[in-house]
């Protein structure tokens, strides 16, 4: 049985000497997981690698852990397309949650709670 203390897990996609993409997740309970971090190297964006590693992570969660619900909190810069990326991959903005903002001292991020049923 997977517990929060055994998380996070990370799925990596590498080429020799280059981190291309990674996706970290945590198992919350027997049906729910959280995507903690999705990173795609800027040199490899617009090549559908982000969608592929996200689909691979979802497949792993569904088939290896029996997860049926995934949650995430998208940290989106004002003119970024992160929310639309997740929407194109089947995620929806959680209707009962408000979008908050976070100021890290350099950037102001929208914090967008999203989820997907597998």
């Amino acid at each position: 049985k997977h517990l929060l203390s055994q998380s996070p897990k990370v799925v990596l996609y590498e080429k020799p000497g280059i981190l291309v993409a990674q996706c970290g997740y945590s198992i919350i309970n027997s049906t729910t997981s959280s995507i903690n971090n999705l990173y795609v190297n800027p040199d490899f964006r617009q090549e559908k690698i982000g969608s592929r590693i996200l689909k691979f992570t979802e497949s792993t969660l569904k088939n290896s852990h029996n997860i049926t619900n995934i949650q995430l909190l998208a940290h989106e810069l004002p003119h970024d397309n992160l929310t639309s990326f997740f929407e194109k991959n089947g995620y929806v903005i959680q209707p009962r949650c408000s979008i908050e903002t976070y100021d890290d001292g350099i950037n102001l991020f929208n914090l967008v709670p999203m989820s997907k049923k597998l």
Side-chain angles (χ1 to χ4, degrees), residues 56-74:
F56 180 83
T57 302
E58 292 168 355
S59 176
T60 299
L61 289 166
K62 182 177 181 179
N63 298 322
S64 297
H65 306 291
N66 298 315
I67 295 297
T68 57
N69 185 46
I70 299 177
Q71 301 172 349
L72 62 86
L73 185 63

Side-chain angles (χ1 to χ4, degrees), residues 50-118:
S51 292
R52 289 196 314 241
I53 197 167
L54 185 59
K55 297 290 183 209
F56 180 83
T57 302
E58 292 168 355
S59 176
T60 299
L61 289 166
K62 182 177 181 179
N63 298 322
S64 297
H65 306 291
N66 298 315
I67 295 297
T68 57
N69 185 46
I70 299 177
Q71 301 172 349
L72 62 86
L73 185 63
H75 293 82
E76 183 175 59
L77 290 167
H79 297 289
D80 203 351
N81 63 354
L82 189 58
T83 300
S84 64
F85 164 78
F86 283 113
E87 288 175 329
K88 288 176 188 175
N89 283 282
Y91 288 78
V92 295
I93 297 172
Q94 294 180 359
R96 287 181 241 137
C97 298
S98 62
I99 296 174
E100 303 286 333
T101 57
Y102 170 70
D103 184 350
D104 70 356
I106 298 171
N107 294 303
L108 188 63
F109 294 89
N110 291 322
L111 303 178
V112 184
M114 303 184 82
S115 64
K116 179 178 182 177
K117 299 274 186 207
L118 298 179

